[in-house]
Structures are given as C-alpha cells and as structure tokens.
Amino acid sequence: MAKRVCFVHYHEIGLKGKNRSSFENQLVTNLHRALHEWPVDAIKRISGHILVSTEDGEATDEMAHAISRVPGVARVSLAYVCGLDQEEYCQAAVRALGEAGDFESFKVHARRSSTGYELHTLDINRLVGGVLCKEFPTKKVEMHHPDVTVCVYVVQGNVYVYADSMPGVGGLPVGTAGKVVTLLSSGFDSPVATWMVGRRGATCVPVHFSGRPMTADTSEWLCQDIVRALAPSGMVGRLYVIPFGQRQREISLAVPQSLRIITYRRVMFSVAERIARIEGAKALVTGESLGQVASQTLDNIAAVNEMVSMPVLRPLIGSDKQEIMRRAEEIGTYDISCQTADDCCTLFMPRRPETHARLDQVHEAWDSFDHNAMIDDLVDHLEYVDFDQCPSYRAPRSLKRRHRELGPRDEFPEGQAGEQ
Ligand code: ATP
Ligand code: MG
C-alpha cells in the first residue's frame, strides 16, 4: 500500500528571490521543532514544496494540523507516495477521492516538475480522470469549480497524489525577519499582536511588566501560559518579566494622577527598548488599537512613543476588539486572557486618566522623579524564563537572573487563578 506523507505548500517564500533557499531552510528547521513529538523520518525540500515523511510511512491528520500552524505554511496535504507505475498512482487517486468526504463534482490536476516523465500532464489528467469516472460513476467532472481537485504531482521519480488540503497560517518562517521585543500583558490584544508579527517571520521576545511585589504574580503565570500556547508557531524563546509594582508606587506619588498611566508607559517603553538593545531586536511591538482605551489616543501614543528611537509596530492599530478576540481563539490564547489578573496596568490607576496629554505637562511630570535611575534599576532587576520552542531564538550572553518557571495555570495556588 502507498505510503502517506505530508506535502507542504508555501506561497510567499517562492517570491523571495535570492533569499529563497534560506527561507526554505528556516521553514524546514521550524517544522522539525514543531513536529518533535512525532516519529518524523525526514523533512526535505522537493521542487518548491516540503515533504515530511514518518518512520512508519503513515503521516496523520494530527501531524498535518501541527504543520498548518507553522508560519510560512500556506497549505498542507496528506499525500500518497507512489512510484511511476500508472496502475499504482491511479489506485491512490481512487483512495484519495474516496476519502474526500461529501462531494458532487471533481477534476484531476496533474503536474510534472520536469519533462522527463513519459506522459504529458494532459495525458495524466485523462488517464487518472478515466479511472475515477469508472469508480465514481454518479459524480460529475467539473473543470471550473469542482468540489474536489485530485492533484497528481510527478516529481523526482515519484508521484504524489492528494485530494484535500488543510489551510495553513500563511506568512513567513519565524527567524527570517529578525528579532522584535513585544510588550506582553495577559490581555487579549498583545498575545495576538505578538502572533501577528511572528507570523511575518519575526522572532518574538515578550517583555511583561508585573505589579509584583504590590500584586500577586498571577499575571506572570498567565503570560507564561500564553507563551506556551504560542508554542506550535515556534515564535517565542524567552519571556522577560519586570517587577514594576514598587516603581509604580513611586511614580504615583510623584506625578499628577491624570498622567500616571502615560508616565508608567514611558518607563515601560524605555525599559523595553533597553532590553531590545541587549537582545539585538530591531523594533518594539504593542497590542494597541486606536482609541480602544485612554492611553491609546493619538496624543497619548505620541507622548509615549517619543521615549524610544526604534520603530514601534502596532499590528492591531486598526482592528476592532471582536476581530482581535476571534484571532485570540484561533491561536489558543483566548481562554488564558479571559482570566483576569492584576498586573502593572491595574495598579495605582487614576480615576480620570488623561486622554489628550499635553507634552509640556508630560515632560514636567517626567522630570519630577529620577526616571533614569528608575529605568537603570528596572533593567538591572529584570528576570527571564526560557522556553525550548523557538529554533531561531539566540539568547544574549550577558544576563544572569532567571525567573522561576511557573507551571500551567491549573496548578495555580488556590485563590489566585482566574478570579475576578
Ligand atoms: P492588552 O489586551 O494587550 O493588555 P489593553 O487593551 O489592555 O491591551 P493597554 O493596557 O492600554 O491595552 O495596553 C496597551 C499595550 O501596552 C498592550 O497591548 C501591550 O502591548 C502593552 N502592555 C500593557 N500592559 C502591559 C504589561 N503589563 N506588560 C507589558 N506590556 C503591557
Ligand atoms: Mg492590558
């Protein structure tokens, strides 16, 4: 019986000219990592596709699903691998169509990677189509919009046959766009923003500001859970945690109430940029969406943005909350973000935050405390936890202080998790 492999399709990498082979190699590396729990025999490039074969020759839907979540993958098909024997690949086509679920119409689409094979693609279409018409006499052949397309792909001495594809997440392989530092809270937005830049090929280094020691460390657990939820995409290798509670208290005593949030955020951006420089990251990423909350008006965004000189990417700036929540469900972070936890954002909140900050007032508040010493101290006391799930992540050499690795959220100490 013909073996089954996962046949991986990608679109955009094909457009990358000279970089194409490094993009493909990165995708192969990332697939190895994403499939490390499966008995993979080989992952190799063939003629504009990637083939994943298993030791037992029985690639499964679950494997295809894992592959579909890896950035760079446009589609994945479970394909039968046959020799050049016509009888063999026609039988594989019969099986593939038989497994395609409910359908009324079909067509055959043959391709050859070289002209070395004796039959032309039109001949293959006719041959395989004839066999399928006999086996499925009640079904129609439909050239324009068939319910199912049976693909017969002749490449390097083999014929791959499949009738069904699972859509992938698309984008580009993580590790091909450089590193970014993402500001990660346990809310809905920033995990989605992280995922979106990761899907465009960035290796993501999240930084979380916790309210510790003024709050419990629940938000830190949730952020670790979020990083684990993003594991199938292979985009995060390390999470930084900055205990910010004490410093927020100092800020809340020093600056006018209405400017507290902007001042916290100026400190957060400055610390994140320092971490980005340590990491060799080239941009910051936030989950801001225009006008969503007080700190996300254009005036306030400007008052915070002026702290940093590197680009700040805001992939959700034009998204509505509903769209963001839908994406959070797709990427597996929704349930985690549903659990509320105090973090630095809920600590020492003003009753009436400024929505249109005036820069002169912001600057006056900023100069009313020793912000440089505070930023230095926060960077000196950063903590981090590593996750073995991102092949493209390279850690900087210079850091020593590790954060405790926290278990999944169902191991929360009683009374901490998921409480409103
Ligand atoms: P989110 O759902 O991402 O928390 P939000 O709607 O709560 O966003 P804000 O609290 O204004 O909005 O945060 C805007 C952005 O600032 C977040 O998307 C995130 O990138 C960053 N941010 C907020 N809180 C934190 C935090 N505790 N640590 C790190 N970054 C944060
Ligand atoms: Mg938030």
Side-chain angles (χ1 to χ4, degrees):
M1 198 177 72
K3 290 183 175 176
R4 286 200 117 175
V5 295
C6 290
F7 200 75
V8 182
H9 311 254
Y10 41 83
H11 299 316
E12 284 196 52
I13 302 175
L15 303 175
K16 295 291 168 187
K18 282 206 296 285
N19 291 330
R20 177 172 169 153
S21 71
S22 62
F23 277 65
E24 288 171 331
N25 289 339
Q26 185 69 56
L27 183 54
V28 169
T29 304
N30 295 352
L31 287 171
H32 270 291
R33 172 63 213 167
L35 296 172
H36 71 285
E37 284 176 359
W38 272 272
V40 169
D41 177 38
I43 301 182
K44 54 184 182 189
R45 295 155 55 178
I46 58 157
S47 186
H49 295 83
I50 290 174
L51 270 189
V52 180
S53 54
T54 56
E55 286 153 13
D56 61 3
E58 277 301 321
T60 58
D61 273 333
E62 289 75 24
M63 276 179 78
H65 180 68
I67 291 170
S68 74
R69 299 186 69 180
V70 175
V73 172
R75 283 185 299 124
V76 53
S77 317
L78 272 182
Y80 287 105
V81 192
C82 309
L84 295 176
D85 177 61
Q86 296 176 6
E87 168 74 20
E88 189 186 352
Y89 62 75
C90 286
Q91 280 318 306
V94 171
R95 290 187 62 178
L97 189 56
E99 290 162 359
D102 281 346
F103 70 97
E104 290 307 319
S105 57
F106 71 94
K107 77 170 181 181
V108 178
H109 177 62
R111 279 187 299 165
R112 300 182 297 180
S113 66
S114 76
T115 50
Y117 181 53
E118 58 191 4
L119 292 188
H120 190 273
T121 51
L122 291 177
D123 303 323
I124 303 174
N125 284 342
R126 227 172 279 130
L127 172 73
V128 178
V131 172
L132 292 177
C133 285
K134 268 205 207 100
E135 291 288 332
F136 298 89
T138 59
K139 308 295 181 188
K140 277 201 320 253
V141 174
E142 163 72 62
M143 297 320 280
H144 294 300
H145 299 290
D147 296 333
V148 184
T149 300
V150 179
C151 296
V152 180
Y153 194 13
V154 184
V155 51
Q156 293 172 10
N158 282 111
V159 181
Y160 299 90
V161 181
Y162 56 88
D164 200 11
S165 293
M166 203 179 276
V169 295
L172 296 166
V174 174
T176 59
K179 241 188 208 179
V180 296
V181 157
T182 79
L183 282 101
L184 182 72
S185 75
S186 59
F188 291 103
D189 308 329
S190 44
V192 172
T194 299
W195 183 85
M196 287 181 78
V197 286
R199 186 178 64 158
R200 295 306 303 168
T203 303
C204 299
V205 185
V207 176
H208 174 63
F209 290 83
S210 107
R212 186 158 48 94
M214 316 306 282
T215 63
D217 58 3
T218 314
S219 69
E220 300 168 34
W221 297 60
L222 294 175
C223 285
Q224 290 198 21
D225 274 355
I226 285 165
V227 171
R228 287 189 197 97
L230 296 177
S233 61
M235 55 183 63
V236 178
R238 169 174 288 190
L239 166 72
Y240 285 94
V241 176
I242 317 289
F244 192 28
Q246 185 58 38
R247 299 303 174 196
Q248 280 183 275
R249 208 175 90 85
E250 290 164 27
I251 294 171
S252 71
L253 295 174
V255 310
Q257 229 194 70
S258 62
L259 294 178
R260 273 184 200 167
I261 297 183
I262 288 178
T263 312
Y264 300 154
R265 298 181 67 78
R266 284 166 69 96
V267 174
M268 288 160 70
F269 269 51
S270 306
V271 171
E273 189 179 44
R274 291 273 293 273
I275 295 174
R277 302 227 182 270
I278 294 169
E279 281 280 346
K282 297 200 178 84
L284 303 182
V285 178
T286 76
E288 288 161 307
S289 141
L290 191 60
Q292 194 190 79
V293 292
S295 62
Q296 296 173 19
T297 62
L298 285 178
D299 288 323
N300 291 4
I301 287 176
V304 174
N305 215 78
E306 66 167 7
M307 293 312 303
V308 297
S309 59
M310 60 176 56
V312 180
L313 310 181
R314 298 181 172 86
L316 304 181
I317 199 70
S319 302
D320 285 346
K321 200 76 183 179
Q322 293 307 318
E323 293 162 5
I324 297 169
M325 310 265 256
R326 260 202 309 279
R327 181 66 85 180
E329 277 185 61
E330 278 167 29
I331 66 175
T333 56
Y334 179 89
D335 288 341
I336 305 166
S337 296
C338 281
Q339 305 188 40
T340 51
D342 284 337
D343 66 5
C344 70
C345 288
T346 47
L347 198 58
F348 305 119
M349 290 303 269
R351 270 193 301 279
R352 281 162 144 263
E354 179 57 69
T355 47
H356 297 285
R358 280 181 37 196
L359 278 183
D360 54 343
Q361 293 173 352
V362 171
H363 293 163
E364 196 181 320
W366 187 241
D367 290 335
S368 69
F369 67 102
D370 189 349
H371 49 260
N372 287 330
M374 183 181 286
I375 293 163
D376 284 348
D377 185 70
L378 287 167
V379 174
D380 281 348
H381 290 90
L382 58 75
E383 302 173 15
Y384 65 85
V385 53
D386 285 329
F387 295 85
D388 178 22
Q389 58 190 43
C390 175
S392 59
Y393 178 70
R394 303 278 171 277
R397 296 239 171 90
S398 52
L399 296 171
K400 301 233 165 27
R401 188 186 301 265
R402 283 177 186 277
H403 189 278
R404 268 179 319 134
E405 184 161 348
L406 302 167
R409 67 182 177 285
D410 54 6
E411 291 170 24
F412 272 9
E414 208 149 300
Q416 280 198 19
E419 294 204 334
Q420 301 283 327

